[in-house]
Amino acid sequence: MADDRSSIAPAHRPRVLSFESRRAAEMRTLIEKRGGVAQVAPSMREVPLDENAEAFAFAEELLAGRVDVVIFLTGVGARTLLETVERRHDRRAFFDALDRTVVVVRGPKPTAVLREWGVRIDHRVPEPNTWRELLATLDAAVEIRGRTLAVQEYGQPNEELYRALEERGARALRVPVYRWALPDDIEPLRQAVRDTLGGGVDVLLFTSAEQVRNVLRVAESEGARDEWVAAASRCRIASIGPTCSEAIREAGLPVHVEASPPKMGRLVLQALADFP
């Protein structure tokens, strides 16, 4: 856990701003149990791709035996992919086709989903489960040159991963199954940006890379992106894990705390560890 205590001088209950959406109520409770004043501004809305041409094209390639390796990056994405594929194909045929490929999973959530399906898992990416560990797993265990790899995407595509796969001579088949959008009501997020600008926040909690990007989008729409980054840099910034930390640093912000293990409870505990 990295920490820079110089920016925090706790003379009061810490004002903690989280951008959690799906588990907003749980996050609020965790913050308050640790003595923080909680502000939760949902920053994301998960939007299924109703007409997912890429997912249907992947299913056709897979069932025809033209996919060699399938990489699952998220549990939610794996489930959504199955729901999409089932609109045109039998799920048993889909599972059987997966069993004829090399199946790679990035972390515990897609692992649990594939076990539920009864699909064989050939390789699991070790923690901290970033694209770099994924690439190292492929380098060590799978010959990918000249082969077709299908990557179940989540949110924003990882262009660095695709470049690395192409450099290794693989054909990367992108399979987006959902995307992230701003919430329908972004006023709480706008208020959170204004509160940060006004010095009303001590701790910022991020639980996904997409949260960082969406907060910056709203700050930019307010004409205050650079000002928000400067104000946020004066807060303690806590990240759920390496992928999220990477996005925070790309935004020009420091990471003072990175949860270990990458769980919401540990994130709050470690972010508020020095506060009374």
Side-chain angles (χ1 to χ4, degrees):
M1 179 178 70
D3 195 359
D4 177 6
R5 295 177 174 81
S6 62
S7 62
I8 301 294
H12 54 271
R13 289 177 63 200
R15 298 161 297 182
V16 184
L17 172 56
S18 165
F19 301 101
E20 181 62 29
S21 300
R22 188 186 305 165
R23 300 169 67 186
E26 181 182 351
M27 178 63 86
R28 182 180 294 277
T29 299
L30 288 168
I31 293 168
E32 291 174 347
K33 281 185 176 179
R34 290 294 171 186
V37 177
Q39 179 180 0
V40 181
S43 60
M44 298 162 53
R45 176 170 52 92
E46 195 174 306
V47 184
L49 300 176
D50 293 327
E51 296 182 5
N52 194 339
E54 292 91 344
F56 293 133
F58 156 71
E60 296 290 344
E61 295 262 309
L62 178 71
L63 292 167
R66 293 192 292 268
V67 176
D68 302 298
V69 181
V70 181
I71 301 169
F72 289 94
L73 297 179
T74 66
V76 171
R79 291 189 190 280
T80 306
L81 176 60
L82 176 60
E83 290 172 7
T84 303
V85 170
E86 278 192 302
R87 296 177 187 179
R88 296 187 182 179
H89 303 284
D90 176 71
R91 70 161 51 194
R92 187 68 259 168
F94 177 62
F95 294 161
D96 289 345
L98 286 175
D99 278 332
R100 293 191 291 271
T101 71
V102 175
V103 175
V104 181
V105 293
R106 189 184 65 132
K109 292 182 179 179
T111 297
V113 171
L114 266 69
R115 283 177 174 166
E116 180 184 312
W117 292 351
V119 172
R120 186 197 70 256
I121 296 171
D122 296 291
H123 304 288
R124 284 182 288 176
V125 176
E127 291 186 354
N129 312 124
T130 72
W131 68 272
R132 293 182 176 85
E133 284 76 38
L134 169 59
L135 203 60
T137 298
L138 293 174
D139 287 342
V142 184
E143 176 54 58
I144 64 174
R145 181 170 297 279
R147 306 181 82 184
T148 297
L149 281 68
V151 182
Q152 171 254 304
E153 291 181 349
Y154 63 106
Q156 184 167 316
N158 189 325
E159 298 300 336
E160 290 177 290
L161 172 61
Y162 288 123
R163 281 195 296 271
L165 293 175
E166 290 167 3
E167 287 169 0
R168 286 160 172 76
R171 173 197 173 215
L173 183 63
R174 304 182 183 213
V175 190
V177 289
Y178 59 87
R179 64 180 180 270
W180 297 110
L182 288 168
D184 291 324
D185 178 12
I186 65 170
E187 184 53 37
L189 197 50
R190 285 182 177 139
Q191 186 60 51
V193 167
R194 292 192 288 266
D195 290 343
T196 308
L197 289 168
V201 177
D202 298 310
V203 181
L204 294 169
L205 304 180
F206 290 100
T207 55
S208 82
E210 202 64 27
Q211 289 178 7
V212 182
R213 300 182 186 108
N214 279 0
V215 173
L216 289 173
R217 283 176 62 191
V218 171
E220 188 163 4
S221 74
E222 297 283 299
R225 187 188 191 282
D226 292 343
E227 292 85 348
W228 186 85
V229 169
S233 296
R234 293 190 287 272
C235 303
R236 173 178 290 183
I237 299 177
S239 161
I240 195 70
T243 300
C244 183
S245 296
E246 189 171 24
I248 293 170
R249 293 189 178 102
E250 285 176 357
L253 294 166
V255 177
H256 302 114
V257 176
E258 185 175 282
S260 179
K263 305 289 185 182
M264 274 188 5
R266 293 296 294 177
L267 173 69
V268 175
L269 173 65
Q270 294 171 354
L272 301 184
D274 296 337
F275 289 97

